[in-house]
Amino acid sequence: MYVSLAKEYIGETMNRFISRVLVSTVTTVMLASASIGTTEAATIPSAYQYSLDELQQKYPGTRTQGKYNTCWAFSAVGLAEFDLIHDDKIANKNIDLSELQLSYYTYHNEEDPLGGTYEDMLNTYRYLEIGGNLSLCTRALLQWQGLIPEEKLPYNKADSLQILDKSYAFNKDVAHLQNVYILNIHKQAQAIKKEIMKHGAAGISFHAGNRHGEYDTKAVYGRTGETVATYYCPVSDSADHAVNIVGWDDDFPAENFKTRPAGNGAWLVRNSWSDQTGNDIKSYFWLSYYDKGIEDDAWILDFEPADNYDFNYQYDGCSVVSKSWTTPVSANVFQTKGAANEQLRAVSIALNEDENVPYTIKIYTNIAKRSNPRSGILAATVKGKTTYEGNYTIPLKKAVSLPKGTYYSVVVELGRSDAGIDIERSTANSHFASSAYIDYNQSFVYKNGVWVDLADAGAIHQTGNLCIKAFTDKSGTSIGKVGTVKNGRTTKNSAKLNWAEVSGAKGYEVYRATSKKGTYKKIATTANTFYQDTTLASKHTYYYKVRAYKTKGKNNVTGTLSSPVKMRTK
């Protein structure tokens, strides 16, 4: 069903992620495996990455957004490049990713290869002019619409580009955004420093207009002897420009600013107004800790190489999300579509308005009733706790086998009653319209003992699907289905069943339920083509299903469950 567009300007909604200001002011990458997650850095130094020479040796030079309002895309791409160099150590300063590609796909949704984001739409022809923010473009990146090398779509083509071929969205990417951490720069400055030490940079927005602050003020920086640029806005004003923090100095003198701030200390900022890297307001400058035009949110983006997972199962293709439900239990149900057999390796949840949230993730396979996400086999459980607001990719301890065509669910149980998984929202304003599409049997919340299908609630609340994703790999092999399971002799307390051998099977898993469409639980693993269940009650009816499995490497590859067989004890 379609969720109609909310008739509200993007800057006037109650949700702070919808209302983020649209900020604007005028090489092939060698990738390998990568780590994820936040870090507890060592003792935070009073000054870090403060030398222009050090930055030039390690990272790419600054770049210019030119005449377009794309500072937000340059900020996001800079965060990606710094992270892949600093955190993942899989790139060097020659890395050059396409800001034009990200700008385009932030405002032009493409349906993902598995069809999960069907009819989630956002389109505008003024994508280079209307501005943007890290909230919007990270939504595109989390859907894996990017990033690609600059050489495949250079920024100098911006003047002539109208429509991109869909292949630029998903088929040329070299990096995937997997984690987003959102911190308050005015309350969590030390934590931001820790994350910069891990990921290389943080993205911020600030008021760059010169009606309050002084641009390009020059000062001699004592630590390096360089003449550097400084900027300080003494008056609170709305943010209108996105940049990256790459370093800091707690002792940067207050007298180095034309208008003196309340104390020492400054962030070293990387700008996007020049491709001639230097100590000037256009490329690298010092921004006072006390600047009153800095927006609260600082963004840490954690990327991985694009070969990290084969498939991204998702429904949340809309560009705007918010916490619309404060229910601690929610779920998405997916159907395996990518390969004959897949291995579920990780899931992703979005909690952009809640921090420090305990969670339990449960994976159910072979869903019997799509309207009930728990009506399958509990295949995996993983527990943890988030740190900051943001998006978290959570690896499973052991991969879960998913035969093609079967349904599985990701059930999220949050440890706080006031927390809630983000959900996509339809939004319209004078610049663009973003609409969320939701169908039945996709996203659910658990309230008052029943599962509520959000397709029923979406039209009322102007919402779509939950921001829950699942990441899988091709297993490279598959195993056939067990044929008819035959019921053998029963006694008061036992039942025997048998089945035909499946070619290539290492063994078989036996499942039991007390009703035909009930929850089946694994009761045995056997290498034989028969099994006798000796733990039954007399005069009771039981139902059994069997599936074959084999191993590949350290993983089990399972087939689909057989049809149920009914047995009754004497």
Side-chain angles (χ1 to χ4, degrees), residues 304-317:
E304 296 181 16
D307 61 356
N308 56 349
Y309 305 108
D310 290 329
F311 303 110
N312 180 352
Y313 284 86
Q314 57 185 335
Y315 296 126
D316 54 313

Side-chain angles (χ1 to χ4, degrees), residues 12-23:
E12 298 175 350
T13 64
M14 64 180 178
N15 180 266
R16 69 187 181 94
F17 283 86
I18 298 176
S19 64
R20 291 196 186 282
V21 62
L22 295 180
V23 295

Side-chain angles (χ1 to χ4, degrees), residues 244-283:
N244 292 339
I245 295 173
V246 297
W248 65 84
D249 186 347
D250 295 341
D251 300 315
F252 193 90
E255 58 263 28
N256 280 355
F257 299 92
K258 185 174 181 180
T259 299
R260 184 167 179 155
N264 294 339
W267 301 106
L268 181 56
V269 169
R270 183 179 191 255
N271 207 348
S272 57
W273 290 345
S274 173
D275 56 8
Q276 303 298 310
T277 304
N279 281 312
D280 57 72
I281 199 69
K282 295 181 179 180
S283 52

Side-chain angles (χ1 to χ4, degrees), residues 349 351 354-359 384-390 392 394 414 416:
I349 58 176
L351 291 161
D354 295 305
E355 60 183 1
N356 300 316
V357 181
Y359 60 78
K385 186 178 182 180
T386 67
T387 306
Y388 315 116
E389 298 172 353
Y392 288 79
I394 303 161
L414 302 178
R416 278 176 36 194

Side-chain angles (χ1 to χ4, degrees), residues 275-326:
D275 56 8
Q276 303 298 310
T277 304
N279 281 312
D280 57 72
I281 199 69
K282 295 181 179 180
S283 52
Y284 281 103
F285 66 94
W286 289 90
L287 178 67
S288 171
Y289 285 168
Y290 298 89
D291 187 282
K292 297 187 185 305
I294 301 176
E295 190 180 55
D296 284 343
D297 291 333
W299 297 71
I300 305 294
L301 305 188
D302 183 24
F303 289 81
E304 296 181 16
D307 61 356
N308 56 349
Y309 305 108
D310 290 329
F311 303 110
N312 180 352
Y313 284 86
Q314 57 185 335
Y315 296 126
D316 54 313
C318 190
S319 299
V320 179
V321 301
S322 69
K323 182 176 76 172
S324 297
W325 298 80
T326 54

